[in-house]
Amino acid sequence: GKDGSRCSCAQLEIGEDGFLCACGHKPSMHRSDAAECSSDALRTAPDWWSEACGPCAADEEKEAAEPDAEEPAEPDAEPATGKAEGLVEIRDDAILEQLQTLLHDTHKTEDNWTRDRGCQIHGRNGEGCSLGCAFHNQVPVPLEYKLRAAFRNQSLDLWMKYFMMRGSIADECSNHADKSSYASVPVASQTDLDSPPIEGCNEWRLFHGTRIEACRGICSSNFRLALAGTGATWKDPGEEKGSPLYGCGIYLAEKCTKADEYSEPIPSEALQDLLGAESAVDMADTELFCMLVVRCVGGRANIVTTNDIDKEQLKRDVFDGPYHSVFGDRVASLGKPYKEIVVYDKDQCYPEMLLLYERVYS
């Protein structure tokens, strides 16, 4: 369990307490055929997903440029569900407007710099740069963020794993056999979009910022806990990996400003690969960045408000205790700019949307 995997029991056997498995783990810690999506009866795509309607513009341009290439195999999911698979551009003006409003409402306009944004002289984690140097030479924080394009991630395998995990955690939140209580925890980024979060299990929509290659990898195969601390976060001099505040997990933000700290400019080739050459040309004069909107089921959240942090104990309280997530509220008592939400199991996350946006400084 410490490496982010769940219990390897062949099946769940409820023990004498009426809640935990005989092995001592919560039901949500167990894998099942359903959670592994091996049951065809459960492979139902959400009805708000886009229908399968042929290749996207980028795919059509690739085929035109490579007329002798072999015909691509049809995705297995399309005949079974009738839905498109992969990243599908959102063209619904109402959803795009909601996403732009979400970026506006979750942008922190004051007290919004942290060391992870970096130093104007040395960049982020630059050699010879101390926290004091970075603080006195802060990289400016954008005044606002302008949405330029958005994609819905339609991955049936990832969705079904998340769907089953969410259901299991929701059951645990309503089960009081383990004498633990559930409390709803609000986040600034909560929004309905085209499918409202379900109640009773702290299902949130949150942000995660990173490079475009990493965003697309996450959309394809979900987060990799082994990479925690290797991204654009503060590291000690000479170190390739940082020590995340709440241990190695998946870190999400309720403020888009926080997620933007870890985003990087999208290279022109990657932009063309995603949008197609014609659309990419239309945006060629603008430096674009990306972040994910992630559905996350937090369940019983362990709210941490101090700097007295035992990383291993936090994970034990999730894997072997009553909690499902860590809610790092560094604002209430410590006066820090941002809250952070951490889960230690990738199936508690569904990378739902990929946003391409512009930083505005004036």
Side-chain angles (χ1 to χ4, degrees):
K2 291 183 180 181
D3 62 352
S5 61
R6 292 200 294 273
C7 179
S8 58
C9 287
Q11 62 184 11
L12 174 67
E13 296 182 7
I14 298 299
E16 295 180 357
D17 64 359
F19 176 71
L20 296 177
C21 175
C23 72
H25 287 127
K26 301 188 294 287
S28 62
M29 291 292 296
H30 290 77
R31 295 244 179 225
S32 66
D33 286 345
E36 291 293 341
C37 303
S38 61
S39 173
D40 290 338
L42 291 169
R43 295 182 63 82
T44 303
D47 56 12
W48 60 87
W49 281 11
S50 299
E51 301 292 329
C53 56
C56 67
D59 291 336
E60 290 176 337
E61 289 173 2
K62 285 181 181 178
E63 290 176 13
E66 302 175 13
D68 298 327
E70 294 184 8
E71 288 293 321
E74 289 293 325
D76 293 336
E78 289 189 8
T81 68
K83 304 292 186 179
E85 184 80 1
L87 289 170
V88 180
E89 187 167 4
I90 298 172
R91 301 185 183 276
D92 185 324
D93 289 340
I95 298 299
L96 293 172
E97 184 177 349
Q98 289 182 62
L99 288 170
Q100 178 60 69
T101 299
L102 183 64
L103 290 178
H104 177 272
D105 291 348
T106 61
H107 175 41
K108 187 173 173 60
T109 58
E110 297 179 344
D111 185 28
N112 54 11
W113 182 90
T114 79
R115 65 182 184 179
D116 283 347
R117 190 165 287 277
C119 169
Q120 291 193 75
I121 298 175
H122 302 96
R124 188 192 294 112
N125 297 308
E127 185 177 353
C129 186
S130 65
L131 176 56
C133 176
F135 181 80
H136 286 98
N137 299 283
Q138 298 177 9
V139 169
V141 179
L143 295 178
E144 61 177 313
Y145 301 101
K146 181 179 179 181
L147 184 70
R148 298 299 299 269
F151 294 79
R152 180 182 287 105
N153 184 35
Q154 300 190 173
S155 170
L156 189 59
D157 284 343
L158 297 190
W159 172 255
M160 289 314 307
K161 290 177 181 179
Y162 174 77
F163 180 85
M164 297 305 299
M165 173 61 84
R166 183 181 66 177
S168 182
I169 288 178
D171 288 344
E172 290 174 9
C173 289
S174 63
N175 188 325
H176 300 291
D178 65 344
K179 306 298 188 296
S180 297
S181 60
Y182 165 80
S184 178
V185 181
V187 294
S189 51
Q190 199 68 306
T191 181
D192 285 352
L193 296 177
D194 47 8
S195 57
I198 67 172
E199 298 182 357
C201 64
N202 279 322
E203 183 181 25
W204 303 304
R205 277 190 170 97
L206 301 165
F207 297 107
H208 183 83
T210 184
R211 298 172 294 107
I212 183 62
E213 297 85 358
C215 279
R216 297 192 70 171
I218 292 167
C219 287
S220 175
S221 55
N222 219 329
F223 291 90
R224 293 172 59 190
L225 277 86
L227 297 180
T230 62
T233 188
W234 186 271
K235 304 175 182 68
D236 291 332
E239 296 295 329
E240 295 184 358
K241 185 173 183 177
S243 178
L245 187 62
Y246 302 105
C248 291
I250 299 163
Y251 283 69
L252 305 166
E254 63 165 4
K255 296 287 189 179
C256 68
T257 322
K258 180 61 177 173
D260 173 62
E261 291 183 342
Y262 309 102
S263 186
E264 297 181 5
I266 302 175
S268 58
E269 298 83 359
L271 189 64
Q272 181 172 322
D273 184 58
L274 183 62
L275 293 173
E278 184 175 344
S279 296
V281 166
D282 293 339
M283 300 185 187
D285 60 340
T286 304
E287 189 172 56
L288 297 183
F289 298 80
C290 61
M291 69 174 67
L292 298 171
V293 175
V294 179
R295 286 181 91 119
C296 172
V297 54
R300 291 185 181 131
N302 185 2
I303 300 176
V304 179
T305 60
T306 72
N307 273 330
D308 185 16
I309 299 169
D310 184 333
K311 300 176 184 180
E312 290 305 314
Q313 186 60 48
L314 287 177
K315 294 184 73 172
R316 284 193 294 270
D317 286 343
V318 169
F319 290 118
D320 300 321
Y323 298 111
H324 302 101
S325 63
V326 171
F327 193 94
D329 185 350
R330 301 180 59 72
V331 178
S333 299
L334 298 174
K336 301 293 185 180
Y338 301 108
K339 301 172 184 177
E340 296 185 83
I341 295 88
V342 186
V343 295
Y344 303 107
D345 190 320
K346 60 185 176 61
D347 291 343
Q348 285 179 243
C349 297
Y350 180 73
E352 185 176 32
M353 295 181 181
L354 171 63
L355 309 184
L356 306 188
Y357 65 92
E358 175 186 352
R359 291 173 175 173
V360 180
Y361 291 94
S362 62

